[in-house]
C-alpha cells in the first residue's frame, strides 16, 4: 500500500468515504467525533434517562391518574376497577416501551457518534415514531417526558449542524 491508500478513518470520512471495515480479531480504530456529535450522544443518553424516569414517576403516581379518570368517566359500564386495571397495564406498557426506545436511541446514537449516516437518519425518525405512539396509544405524559423530548430535539439538531456534515459521508461517494 502506498501513502495515498493509508488514510485514517477521519481523513477518509472528510473525503466522503466510509471508515475501513474492522475484521474479526482486529481492534477498531479510535474515532474522534466532532464536539457537536459527542455532545449529541450524551444528550441522547440524558434524554433516555429522563424519559424512563418520567414513566417511572407516572407509574408511582398512578393512583392520582386513576382517580382523575374515574371522576371524568360518565359511562357506568366502566367501573373504577376496570379503569384501574387499564391504567395500570397501560402505564407498565409505556414504561416497557420507553425502555425499548431508549435502547434503540442509545444504539443509534453510538453508531452516529462513529459517523454512520444511516444512524443519524434513524435518529431522525425514531423520536417521531415515539411521539406518535405516545399521543395515539396513551396520551398520558408529564413534564419529564417533555424535557426528554426537548433533549432529543437538541441532540438531533446537533447532528445536522453544517460543521459536522463532513463527518457523515453520503453513501456512494468516492474518496
Amino acid at each position: 500500500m502506498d501513502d495515498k491508500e493509508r488514510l485514517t478513518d477521519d481523513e477518509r470520512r472528510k473525503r466522503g468515504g466510509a471508515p475501513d471495515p474492522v475484521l474479526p480479531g482486529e481492534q477498531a480504530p479510535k474515532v474522534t467525533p466532532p464536539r457537536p456529535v459527542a455532545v449529541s450522544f450524551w444528550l441522547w443518553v440524558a434524554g433516555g434517562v429522563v424519559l424512563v424516569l418520567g414513566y417511572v414517576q407516572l407509574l408511582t403516581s398512578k393512583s392520582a391518574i386513576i382517580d382523575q379518570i374515574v371522576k371524568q368517566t360518565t359511562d357506568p359500564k366502566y367501573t373504577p376497577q376496570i379503569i384501574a386495571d387499564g391504567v395500570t397495564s397501560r402505564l407498565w406498557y409505556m414504561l416497557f416501551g420507553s425502555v425499548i426506545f431508549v435502547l434503540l436511541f442509545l444504539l443509534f446514537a453510538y453508531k452516529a457518534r462513529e459517523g454512520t449516516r444511516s444512524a443519524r437518519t434513524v435518529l431522525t425518525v425514531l423520536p417521531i415514531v415515539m411521539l406518535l405512539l405516545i399521543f395515539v396509544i396513551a396520551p398520558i405524559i408529564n413534564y419529564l417526558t417533555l424535557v426528554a423530548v426537548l433533549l432529543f430535539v437538541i441532540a438531533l439538531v446537533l447532528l445536522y449542524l453544517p460543521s459536522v456534515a463532513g463527518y457523515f459521508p453520503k453513501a456512494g461517494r468516492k474518496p
Side-chain angles (χ1 to χ4, degrees):
M1 281 188 171
D2 59 11
D3 287 335
K4 289 182 181 177
E5 294 179 28
R6 291 181 173 220
L7 299 174
T8 66
D9 284 344
D10 287 339
E11 292 169 335
R12 198 172 296 101
R13 192 176 279 113
K14 285 179 185 172
R15 291 183 177 189
D20 275 342
V22 179
L23 299 175
E26 289 183 355
Q27 275 199 341
K30 179 129 172 93
V31 178
T32 310
R35 184 158 174 78
V37 174
V39 170
S40 173
F41 172 78
W42 290 109
L43 285 174
W44 286 106
V45 171
V49 169
V50 170
L51 183 68
V52 170
L53 287 176
Y55 285 112
V56 167
Q57 188 267 334
L58 278 173
L59 196 58
T60 59
S61 64
K62 72 178 179 179
S63 61
I65 296 169
I66 291 168
D67 291 342
Q68 181 183 8
I69 294 174
V70 166
K71 287 178 188 174
Q72 293 174 350
T73 304
T74 57
D75 194 343
K77 69 180 179 181
Y78 295 114
T79 65
Q81 184 60 44
I82 291 174
I83 293 171
D85 292 344
V87 169
T88 302
S89 63
R90 185 170 284 187
L91 288 174
W92 276 107
Y93 288 137
M94 290 170 59
L95 177 61
F96 179 72
S98 70
V99 169
I100 297 297
F101 269 101
V102 167
L103 291 174
L104 289 171
F105 289 154
L106 295 181
L107 169 69
F108 289 107
Y110 179 80
K111 297 303 281 178
R113 187 174 72 171
E114 291 180 341
T116 307
R117 186 181 183 96
S118 59
R120 182 177 70 163
T121 305
V122 171
L123 285 173
T124 304
V125 175
L126 258 168
I128 296 169
V129 171
M130 181 192 74
L131 285 174
L132 286 174
L133 287 173
I134 287 173
F135 289 117
V136 170
I137 293 176
I140 302 172
I141 59 172
N142 61 2
Y143 67 94
L144 288 174
T145 307
L146 298 175
V147 169
V149 169
L150 178 64
L151 290 172
F152 294 148
V153 167
I154 294 169
L156 190 59
V157 168
L158 289 174
L159 292 177
Y160 282 94
L161 290 176
S163 64
V164 300
Y167 190 68
F168 299 103
K170 290 185 180 178
R173 282 183 56 190
K174 303 278 185 206

